Each structure stands twice: as structure tokens, then as C-alpha cells.
Amino acid sequence: MNMAKLFINQIGYCKNLLKTAIFSGSVGSYTITDSKLRKKVFTARPVEERFSSVWGERISVLDFTALKSSGEYFITAGQKKSDVFTITDNPYRNLRSEVLKTFYINHCDSTWEAGAGAFSHLGCHTKRAYLKTNPNVRIDVSGGWHEGPGYSKSVNSTSAAISNLIYAQILFDNSPPNAESECEYGLNWLLKMQRADGAVYSKVCSASVGTVLLPPTETSEYYVDDISRRSALAFISACSLGSRFFADKNHRFSDTLRSAAEKSWIWFCENCDISKAFADMPGTASQEKVNYDDDSFKKRILTAESELTDEFFRALCEVYAMTEEQEFFEHIEKVFPLIDSTGFYGKSKSGFGTLALMFSGVPLPNDFISQIKLAFRVASDNLISDSSLISRPQLEYPSNKLLCTDSVTLMAASILLKSREMFSAAFSNLNYICGGNPMDKCYLTGFGKNSVKDPRCSLSASSETGEPVPGLLVTGADSLRLDNYLKWTIPAGTPPGFCYADSSTSPSSNEVSVFTNSALYFLLCAVDYFSGKL
């Protein structure tokens, strides 16, 4: 698709970590030159040359990890010359700060110029929202994060985003102070979504779709979707995790979260078929024992709302980590073979539950720990088995979100298994996102020479600056061309890496979300942590 060209990480490279660039075509050797001294400092041959389905042509992989001196450089390969790039201790720290700032900018609340810059705004959506199934009921659901392209707010995405933010702090212990305050902000909104009996409303939506008004002037009414079992499980997971995280920081808040999680746990056990398949769930009156090896049990657990099994496992693990009550672990052992214990996206967020088990200090049998490590080894091997430089060479929607959540899996595996290879695979996904892709695009707003200019984001579209909110990661290339804009502008059969449009009219390739940024934030915290250790 391209004439021979060099593709680099437009953010820069860490001195002590993997450094790769892509040459689209064949080349015998390449050189790297110090752009200030005009002195050649590195010469090598490509480490690999092969056909890439992502590019739709042969590519050469240039690996210059051995170059560890800080400075500004450019690559020359054949007749082509790259843009200047930097090598520093960690070029991602400013990006990480801006990614975290997007959470504050997306507050459904007043934001101040000191924290939000040109995107600060007065309080928004402060009126009580009406319940979709009963408009006469009004609920205070103010606060929370605007979820994505518009001004909706979701329990499921907020819960997952909080998990990414908190586990980044638990595992890497290098987050700026405002990361903790963002977690508290998100959890406080979740508490408003809990009904008095422990049930949890699923999301809050604006009656106006596709608005490009600033939050204070977008005055259409909010409505609240009714309760759901999935939202109850997501709520339980986030509040249980939050209770542990804030236990030595804010004891009163920790107790509030624990009480809320316990109330919703009891509601769930009394109202969901999946828990009734167990019959003897902790916290309920029934103590009927179940033969877990019986085929009838396996049939019940797989047919009783099986789409909830992964979220159920996650909640079980988080409640066990919070309470340390052994009864919960007995059920965890039974559900474990039925779920993907390494997933961090969509209906498979069990990976957060696995992190709770492995990093909370709760007692676990050695053979169970071995099963967890094996699951992460198999998942990671599958993600890197085809040597495609990225974990999702088919680039299906939402490709960048999947690359980030895959990277969470790979980073967790690298810690559990002490594997540098798995860390490098996660880092390769980041290289792709930051410019090492066929579009020569840094898929972030406000960063890189060729950054995203027109994301599908109401707050960006309504800005008077003419520039989008910086630090937002968009969905990226969509090989299936799921939206009409891509179908109209990109021919069928186009290689996956070129199925992208920097246009707010392309939701499948240029949409933003709080959850996507939370997964990216986790990845950036890991890079910051490992940049000084590898």
C-alpha cells in the first residue's frame, strides 16, 4: 500500500527497553544518526523480513535496542530517512499524565482550569434523572465520568476503569497522587447507582444523541436504565476492590464501600440463577450443599446466565480478597475451569479477579497458583505466537482497545512468570499505537507528529480551541469497516492496517472511551515501572 517508508514510535523510545521501527519493503542494512552531531552511531541489518498481513506487503523489522544513549536520532534505510525521534529514560511520563488528566476533564461535574486547561467547564447534568421504566421516579446520578464519545455514564465501564486505575497503583506503585482521587471520584458515583435493596442501575444516558455542546449547555434530560445483574456484579467488584485499596487511606470510605458491596452481593445471590446454581453461596440463608462434580451442576452453571460467569468469578475473587472468608474460595475453585481467567475486556473481565487473588495476599493453594500461572502462559503464548509484532494482527474492532487490554494480560503474565518476552510483546503493542503502524499515525490526540485530529468525542467537538482533548486513545483500524464512513471511503480487501479514518463520523475507528484510556494508563504505568528495572 505504501511506497517504501520508515515507521517509528512518535512518542520516543526508552533507553533500557525494546526499540523497533518498521521499513515497508526490503532493505539490506540501515544506520542511525545523531541528529545534532550528524554522526552515525549505529549500523545493523533488519532482524526480520517477511510478509505482514497488517501492512499487506513485505516489511523489514529494525531492532536497535542495543542503542542506549539518550539523544535525538534519525534512521536511514536505503533512500529513506525517518523523522527525528528521541531516546530518553522514559518519554511516556508526560503522556501518562495527560491520559490520567482525561478522567478529570470528563468529570460530569465542574472542572477547573488548573486541572482541565482549556477544557474546563461549569457543573453539568446536575438535575435528577428519570428512571426509564418509570419516569415518575427521579434519581440523583450526578458526578461520574462521561463515558465516551458523548455524555453517558455506565456502571460496567466505570467499574472496569476503576480496576485498571487501582491495579496500576497496586502493581507498580508509581502513580501520581491524583490517580487515587480519580478512583475515589469514580467510586462515589457508583454508590449513587445502588438501589436501597442492593440492586444496581446499569447506566445513565442523555436523551440527546450525538450532541456537540459543551457539558453545561447540553441540558437534555438524563434517564437511568433499569437494574441489571451484570451491573450488580461490576458494582460488587469495584466496591470490594476499592474497600481494600482505601483501607489504610480513608477508613470510613473503605467501610462504606464494603457495606455497599455486601448489600449488592446479598441482592445478587437472592435474584440471579447463576448463584442459585450453587445454592450455598456465602452471605445467604441457604446452606444446601452441591455436588460440583455432578454433570447436572455443570449444566446449570453453564446455562444459567452463562454470559455472567466471568463477571461472577471476578466478583467472587474481589469479595474473597476483601473478606478473606474461605467459603468464597471454595466457589472460586469451581468456577475457575469455566471462565477465561486472563481476560480484561468485554464480557471477559475475569483477569481482574485473578489479579485480586494473586496480589491481595489471600491464602491460595500452590496447585491453584500453578493453574493461574499456566492460564496466563497459555494466553500470552497465543497472543504472541504468530510473531506479528502486535497481538491482534487482524485488527478487528475495537483494535486499539484490544491491544491495550491484551497488554494488560501480557504485563500481568510478565510479572507472574517473570518473563521479559511477554513484557516486550506488550511494549510492541504500544509501539504500534504510537506510530509504528501502516497509517504512520500516533493514535492519540495531542501527541506525535501525526496525531489524531478529529476524534468522535463531544467534548472535543464542542471546544473553542479547535483542538481535541489531549491524551485520548481512539479505537483505531477496523478491518471489518463496521461503520458506513469506512465502507464508503475504504475499498473492500484493503489490508487491515489501512482501514482507518481520522474522522468523527467513523465511530468504529475514531471513537474514544474512559475504559480504553484506563487500560492505556495501566500499560503506561507498567512501562514507567519497568523502564528503570529491565
Side-chain angles (χ1 to χ4, degrees):
M1 296 290 295
N2 270 327
M3 296 180 64
K5 188 174 179 180
L6 283 158
F7 300 86
I8 61 170
N9 186 321
Q10 297 174 24
I11 304 298
Y13 297 90
C14 295
K15 282 199 304 186
N16 297 323
L17 301 182
L18 179 74
K19 305 178 195 69
T20 58
I22 303 296
F23 182 82
S24 59
S26 300
V27 65
S29 64
Y30 66 96
T31 61
I32 298 180
T33 302
D34 186 308
S35 65
K36 291 185 176 179
L37 300 178
R38 293 292 166 175
K39 176 183 178 181
K40 293 180 181 178
V41 296
F42 189 86
T43 302
R45 299 179 63 82
V47 294
E48 182 183 5
E49 180 187 325
R50 62 180 171 80
F51 178 81
S52 167
S53 60
V54 174
W55 264 261
E57 61 184 331
R58 295 191 70 79
I59 62 169
S60 299
V61 181
L62 318 182
D63 188 327
F64 50 100
T65 304
L67 179 58
K68 298 182 182 296
S69 299
S70 296
E72 297 180 2
Y73 304 94
F74 61 85
I75 301 172
T76 303
Q79 300 299 312
K80 298 297 178 181
K81 175 181 166 183
S82 76
D83 292 324
V84 173
F85 59 86
T86 60
I87 296 178
T88 61
D89 288 336
N90 184 359
Y92 298 99
R93 283 186 181 143
N94 185 43
L95 172 59
R96 185 182 66 162
S97 296
E98 290 297 320
V99 169
L100 183 59
K101 189 186 292 185
T102 62
F103 287 83
Y104 180 73
I105 291 173
N106 273 294
H107 279 195
C108 189
D109 208 337
S110 295
T111 59
W112 306 106
E113 189 172 349
F119 300 95
S120 60
H121 56 79
L122 298 175
C124 58
H125 308 117
T126 56
K127 294 181 180 178
R128 287 178 175 264
Y130 66 88
L131 186 60
K132 188 176 182 181
T133 55
N134 185 357
N136 292 322
V137 175
R138 295 278 172 165
I139 305 167
D140 175 16
V141 289
S142 57
W145 297 308
H146 296 135
E147 181 182 18
Y151 297 130
S152 62
K153 298 178 287 190
S154 160
V155 166
N156 292 331
S157 64
T158 296
S159 170
I162 288 169
S163 292
N164 273 322
L165 294 179
I166 290 181
Y167 279 116
Q169 293 171 80
I170 291 173
L171 295 180
F172 309 118
D173 193 27
N174 59 5
S175 291
N178 52 329
E180 183 180 312
S181 63
E182 284 302 327
C183 294
E184 184 173 356
Y185 182 81
L187 287 163
N188 272 316
W189 178 75
L190 283 182
L191 291 172
K192 292 185 176 183
M193 295 295 284
Q194 185 184 45
R195 207 168 63 179
D197 62 351
V200 179
Y201 299 110
S202 58
K203 60 183 177 180
V204 180
C205 300
S206 171
S208 174
V209 178
T211 180
V212 292
L213 298 172
L214 279 169
T217 56
E218 202 288 289
T219 57
S220 59
E221 281 199 289
Y222 263 2
Y223 66 85
V224 181
D225 265 0
D226 207 0
I227 60 172
S228 75
R229 289 152 178 164
R230 180 177 295 280
S231 60
L233 289 172
F235 177 92
I236 293 164
S237 297
C239 288
S240 299
L241 172 59
S243 179
R244 283 195 293 120
F245 180 69
F246 284 100
D248 60 352
K249 300 177 175 67
N250 185 336
H251 186 69
R252 181 176 295 180
F253 187 50
S254 173
D255 287 347
T256 298
L257 293 170
R258 177 169 179 146
S259 296
E262 290 171 344
K263 180 187 287 187
S264 288
W265 176 257
I266 293 170
W267 178 89
F268 178 81
C269 288
E270 292 174 347
N271 290 275
C272 188
D273 291 341
I274 197 171
S275 62
K276 292 175 183 176
F278 288 89
D280 60 339
M281 293 303 298
T284 61
S286 172
Q287 289 300 310
E288 175 192 346
K289 293 299 177 184
V290 175
N291 179 4
Y292 292 107
D293 295 323
D294 191 311
D295 285 342
S296 64
F297 164 74
K298 295 176 182 177
K299 183 177 181 180
R300 275 189 290 163
I301 195 68
L302 288 172
T303 57
E305 301 181 89
S306 60
E307 75 278 4
L308 291 179
T309 309
D310 284 75
E311 197 69 67
F312 180 54
F313 175 82
R314 176 190 172 202
L316 272 172
C317 295
E318 292 290 6
V319 175
Y320 175 50
M322 178 181 68
T323 64
E324 299 188 20
E325 293 181 13
Q326 190 63 25
E327 287 178 283
F328 287 99
F329 181 69
E330 293 171 7
H331 296 297
I332 289 168
E333 284 188 294
K334 306 306 177 182
V335 181
F336 184 78
L338 307 175
I339 51 91
D340 172 13
S341 58
T342 65
F344 292 91
Y345 173 65
K347 293 180 179 179
S348 178
K349 298 190 185 77
S350 299
F352 291 120
T354 310
L355 293 184
L357 295 177
M358 295 300 289
F359 298 104
S360 66
V362 292
L364 298 173
N366 288 334
D367 63 333
F368 190 75
I369 293 173
S370 296
Q371 291 179 57
I372 289 175
K373 289 183 177 180
L374 177 61
F376 271 92
R377 180 172 294 282
V378 171
S380 298
D381 287 347
N382 288 336
L383 291 174
I384 62 180
S385 61
D386 62 2
S387 301
S388 62
L389 298 180
I390 56 174
S391 60
R392 301 276 176 158
Q394 59 273 38
L395 293 176
E396 73 275 25
Y397 169 85
S399 60
N400 286 339
K401 183 183 293 186
L402 291 169
L403 290 175
C404 284
T405 55
D406 285 351
S407 296
V408 176
T409 299
L410 290 163
M411 286 296 186
S414 73
I415 296 170
L416 292 171
L417 304 171
K418 297 179 172 58
S419 168
R420 182 161 186 154
E421 179 189 16
M422 292 168 188
F423 171 85
S424 295
F427 200 63
S428 290
N429 286 342
L430 185 60
N431 275 336
Y432 168 91
I433 287 170
C434 295
N437 56 71
M439 296 298 297
D440 193 25
K441 192 80 172 176
C442 183
Y443 283 118
L444 289 144
T445 54
F447 285 84
K449 184 175 181 180
N450 186 21
S451 63
V452 174
K453 303 297 185 186
D454 186 23
R456 188 175 178 84
C457 170
S458 294
L459 194 56
S460 295
S462 62
S463 168
E464 297 178 357
T465 68
E467 296 292 331
V469 174
L472 296 171
L473 176 63
V474 297
T475 38
D478 169 22
S479 60
L480 299 179
R481 301 174 303 129
L482 293 177
D483 66 61
N484 286 332
Y485 188 85
L486 291 185
K487 288 178 180 177
W488 295 333
T489 58
I490 297 176
T494 299
F498 294 93
C499 295
Y500 170 77
D502 187 357
S503 171
S504 55
T505 56
S506 175
S508 69
S509 71
N510 229 33
E511 197 163 85
V512 301
S513 78
V514 163
F515 172 69
T516 304
N517 264 37
S518 74
L520 175 62
Y521 181 79
F522 181 101
L523 176 55
L524 293 172
C525 284
V527 169
D528 184 70
Y529 177 81
F530 284 111
S531 63
K533 295 181 179 294
L534 295 179

